[in-house]
Structure formats: structure tokens, C-alpha cells
Amino acid sequence: MDWRKLNPRVIAEFRQNAGKVSGFEGLPLILLQTKGARSGNRFDVPLIPVLEDTRIFLFGTNAGSPKQPIWALNVLAHPRIVVEYDGRVFDAIIEPLSSVDADVRLAQCAQGSEQLQQYLANAAPRVVPVFEVCELD
């Protein structure tokens, strides 16, 4: 999938329709404003978060690619981000989970998702990072 072609349409529709995007019905979407690890340029990245109560998690599956997603590399270099979600825009820090916590969360979520199971199998042996989005006050 060519994310560089798909993402501009998704981002525009997300902003025009209060976070709703055709083709993603029933799925939450979040938009990250990140800074490039090397360039320092701003990048807007739409992602499907995993929501647990008031917590927001992001899995770096890259749709099962053997390569790490660029957004994950960017947030590791520059963890302070801006988030657009649920009609709000807020500053946040994105924190990687420990490998043990990430493995547990991935295993729990994969039990209920054949798509996630496939992504994890296709990405192997790459370690899929898991991040928590922590809103700043």
C-alpha cells in the first residue's frame, strides 16, 4: 500500500468530517503531527489507535511490513507531538512501552483480531513497537 498517496486523502477527510473517514467506519482514527527524525519537518500521520478506557496506544505494525514505520522512528527521536482526536487537538508525549509490556498488549489485542495476527506474522522477525500517547496538561 502506498501510504504517501492514501494519507493526504485520509487526512483531508478526517479534518473535514470531524475524524470520520470513509473506509474506516467503526474504527477510531487519530492524527499525529510529528517531527521528522532527520529533517525536522512536520508530518501528519493518520493511525488507528487501540483505546483502553482513557488510554491511547499505537502499534507500529506498518501493515505487516518488515520495515519499521517512519512515524515510529520520528516519535522516538521527537516524542513531543500534537494529536487530533475525537474533535480535540492537544499536545502529548508519546512513550514506547517496554518490550515485555508491548508483547503482552500485542498478544492480548491479537487474540481478537485476525488482521493484527497477520500483520505480526508478516512483520516477523521485526519487533513491532507499541507506544502510549500521554496528553500533556
Side-chain angles (χ1 to χ4, degrees):
M1 179 167 296
D2 188 348
W3 299 110
R4 286 175 288 197
K5 290 183 180 176
L6 178 63
N7 281 353
R9 181 195 64 80
V10 171
I11 292 165
E13 193 171 334
F14 179 97
R15 288 181 171 146
Q16 290 171 356
N17 298 315
K20 306 292 185 220
V21 178
S22 60
F24 294 90
E25 290 84 0
L27 294 172
L29 282 177
I30 191 168
L31 190 62
L32 305 184
Q33 296 175 16
T34 67
K35 184 187 285 189
R38 290 183 295 190
S39 70
N41 293 337
R42 175 180 153 178
F43 294 96
D44 294 346
V45 183
L47 297 169
I48 298 171
V50 174
L51 307 172
E52 291 183 13
D53 298 319
T54 60
R55 297 173 77 186
I56 300 171
F57 296 96
L58 301 172
F59 295 172
T61 62
N62 206 13
S65 169
K67 295 182 179 182
Q68 290 289 11
I70 293 170
W71 68 263
L73 302 173
N74 289 343
V75 299
L76 286 170
H78 302 285
R80 188 177 178 122
I81 60 171
V82 175
V83 176
E84 296 177 47
Y85 173 68
D86 200 25
R88 300 176 52 233
V89 178
F90 57 90
D91 292 324
I93 294 288
I94 190 162
E95 299 178 347
L97 271 60
S98 71
S99 60
V100 170
D101 290 342
D103 288 347
V104 168
R105 194 156 308 279
L106 285 167
Q108 289 173 340
C109 289
Q111 287 178 351
S113 171
E114 288 184 31
Q115 184 176 38
L116 180 56
Q117 291 172 22
Q118 190 63 51
Y119 284 173
L120 294 173
N122 291 347
R126 175 174 70 83
V127 174
V128 171
V130 178
F131 299 91
E132 183 170 5
V133 175
C134 302
E135 183 173 359
L136 295 174
D137 296 325

